[in-house]
Amino acid sequence: MTHAGRLSGRFVALGITGSIAAYKSVELLRQLQAEGAEVQALLTPTATRFVALLTLEALSHRPAESDVMALLPDGRIGHIVTADSADAIVVAPATAHWLGAMANGLAADVITAACLATSAPVIVAPAMDGDMYAHPATQANVTRLRDQFGYTIVEPETGPLASGQTGVGRLAELARIVEAVVTAIGDRPIRAVGDADRPPRLAGRPRDADLDGRHIVVTAGGTREAIDPVRFIGNRSSGKMGVAIAEAALDRGARVSLIAGSVEVALPDAVEITRVESTAELGVALATLLQAGPAGRAGFDALIMAAAVADFRPRHPARAKLRRGSALTLDLEPTPDLLAEAVVVARHLWPTPILVGFAAETGSLERAVEKLQRKGVDLLVANDVAEAGSGFGTDTNRITLLAADAAAEAWPLLTKREVADRLLDRLAARLDARDGVAQTGRSDVPQEFRS
Ligand code: PMT
């Protein structure tokens, strides 16, 4: 059974040493990722003879480190950056030789070097021949790692070994190792929020091009409602959240239409931009996109409403500048709920676009749950705009993702770009699922669209 997301936002270094069990570390990497972790592979030179760097790099999207003398492209020392940013280092499999080196602080490989330099929890899963594991030297090293260094030891299991013998030495079940990582990290704060403090990803491959061929519509920034020709009612949206989503979608190969209200950040060049000021103008821009497809077909795959849309506007904006006086009372009227209206129209399109709303809340999530249902969206990104570092104008955000058909996910404080990347992970999966269903020719496919 998997528990998706328990390592969400975490950065885990996976140390692989030269045991035949090294082939299992590839699957361990996948299981850590399935829990939401970003993984950095570290290998001893011998481990590179058992498992290819290419395999680990293709899966982790990060250069694997195997040379303790190598520098990162930007000149930083790789194993120190890993040591300083990892939320945990898990060494699996750990050979007898590596246990001996670690117990004696001999930092001749990237894994021992990172373990010596880190204050993160270290989890060690030994794997070797049964007699080697039983040897007093190995046992003394394991005891030292556990009792003096405070490392978690995931004891090997009994079973058939590569030598043909049966004994204690088989690498522990991967689920046990993942559990040990989750437990060791516990509720410690994330050590390095954001990519800048972590080792780099592989250049040019920030994410898979999993939105290639998709058309994503994003709204960003705040709307302004005129009081008179010089004054307006506005809000604190900077546009950072919506623009981060637009940029992340572009990087994943999507065609992006960005409807931007008032923003304080530069807009990406490669997106199709519609500038709007008021809620009414935003409504017109959305209606245009909703009608853009040929007769009943959707002209886009997903709508993500990150814009902060005014809920009220002056009923009768003045045509001329209002004169200064002793007092002014504004008569406000509610604006239309554009997202709810878009949902009603979009539900009649084929294939049905995925609709994502945002909810700016202060404190409890109760109102966000109510908004999810009332607006009829597939996903609702709720952010607490009263929390420091979250919501309006910040570079970071802490969100809870609510879904009409899945449990709520509370994400840690992340950069807005990371929130965008994760949101698009969920969106890409939903689009793939949607189209998988569409290809089966289900009976709810409208007759006119069946081929
Ligand atoms: O731009 P930043 O400075 O980066 O800040 C990001 C953000 C805080 C603006 C963003 O993360 C966010 O929360 N955006 C939604 C703000 C908002 O309008 O929340 P709401 O709870 O009032 O509205 C819920 C949803 O309905 C939103 O998707 C909104 O776009 C939409 N809405 C609201 C009112 C309205 N009249 N029509 C709408 O479509």
Side-chain angles (χ1 to χ4, degrees), residues 219 221 236-242 279 305-311 335-340 356-361 371 375 380-381 383 385 391-394 397 416:
T219 68
R236 298 176 193 281
S237 174
S238 63
K240 286 180 182 174
M241 189 66 250
T279 302
M305 282 282 283
V309 185
D311 287 314
T335 54
D337 186 332
L338 302 181
L339 182 54
V356 183
F358 269 69
E361 303 297 342
K371 275 181 196 169
K375 293 183 188 259
L380 190 79
V381 182
N383 38 201
V385 294
F392 292 104
T394 53
N397 210 359
K416 283 186 172 165

Side-chain angles (χ1 to χ4, degrees), residues 217 219 259 281-291 303 305 338 342:
V217 180
T219 68
I259 306 175
E281 287 177 16
L282 177 54
V284 170
L286 282 172
T288 306
L289 274 157
L290 283 161
Q291 291 158 9
L303 167 65
M305 282 282 283
L338 302 181

Side-chain angles (χ1 to χ4, degrees), residues 74-394:
D74 59 10
R76 293 181 296 167
I77 301 168
H79 56 267
I80 299 297
V81 177
T82 299
D84 289 346
S85 55
D87 292 292
I89 300 179
V90 52
V91 188
T95 58
H97 176 84
W98 186 84
L99 293 168
M102 192 66 236
N104 290 285
L106 302 177
D109 65 82
V110 284
I111 310 173
T112 41
C115 288
L116 284 178
T118 197
S119 57
V122 177
I123 300 95
V124 177
M128 65 198 74
D129 171 72
D131 291 330
M132 288 171 75
Y133 192 62
H135 194 283
T138 308
Q139 287 302 308
N141 292 331
V142 168
T143 302
R144 184 154 201 216
L145 264 50
R146 183 178 49 229
D147 296 349
Q148 287 186 29
F149 299 0
Y151 292 180
T152 299
I153 306 294
V154 187
E155 290 288 345
E157 295 173 1
T158 308
L161 303 168
S163 59
Q165 298 170 357
T166 296
V168 180
R170 246 172 105 82
L171 184 70
E173 284 298 318
L174 300 185
R176 278 182 59 212
I177 302 174
V178 173
E179 281 302 321
V181 174
V182 171
T183 305
I185 292 177
D187 57 4
R188 291 163 186 252
I190 292 183
R191 294 185 70 219
V193 177
D195 278 347
D197 295 326
R198 294 175 177 177
R201 295 171 186 275
L202 281 172
R205 288 214 49 192
R207 295 268 162 169
D208 291 331
D210 54 3
L211 293 177
D212 194 17
R214 304 289 192 190
H215 181 192
I216 310 292
V217 180
V218 183
T219 68
T223 58
R224 292 175 168 182
E225 307 303 328
I227 298 171
D228 68 13
V230 296
R231 305 178 180 93
F232 59 81
I233 298 174
N235 60 63
R236 298 176 193 281
S237 174
S238 63
K240 286 180 182 174
M241 189 66 250
V243 168
I245 295 169
E247 288 174 341
L250 269 181
D251 287 349
R252 297 163 81 133
R255 171 185 161 202
V256 179
S257 295
L258 178 63
I259 306 175
S262 85
V263 295
E264 293 165 16
V265 287
L267 302 182
D269 286 337
V271 302
E272 297 158 33
I273 297 169
T274 306
R275 293 305 305 253
V276 297
E277 183 172 286
S278 63
T279 302
E281 287 177 16
L282 177 54
V284 170
L286 282 172
T288 306
L289 274 157
L290 283 161
Q291 291 158 9
R297 284 194 183 261
F300 61 94
D301 292 287
L303 167 65
I304 305 177
M305 282 282 283
V309 185
D311 287 314
F312 294 95
R313 64 186 167 204
R315 193 181 300 274
H316 303 295
R319 289 175 189 231
K321 184 183 173 191
L322 292 169
R323 285 173 183 276
R324 186 179 163 81
S326 57
L328 173 68
T329 303
L330 289 175
D331 179 15
L332 301 179
E333 64 177 5
T335 54
D337 186 332
L338 302 181
L339 182 54
E341 289 182 356
V343 169
V344 172
V345 178
R347 294 287 176 233
H348 292 96
L349 299 176
W350 186 264
T352 310
I354 307 284
L355 302 157
V356 183
F358 269 69
E361 303 297 342
T362 47
S364 124
L365 281 179
E366 247 168 66
R367 289 179 45 172
V369 173
E370 182 268 322
K371 275 181 196 169
L372 172 78
Q373 288 157 358
R374 179 162 48 83
K375 293 183 188 259
V377 287
D378 299 288
L379 295 171
L380 190 79
V381 182
N383 38 201
D384 186 344
V385 294
E387 184 189 329
S390 190
F392 292 104
T394 53

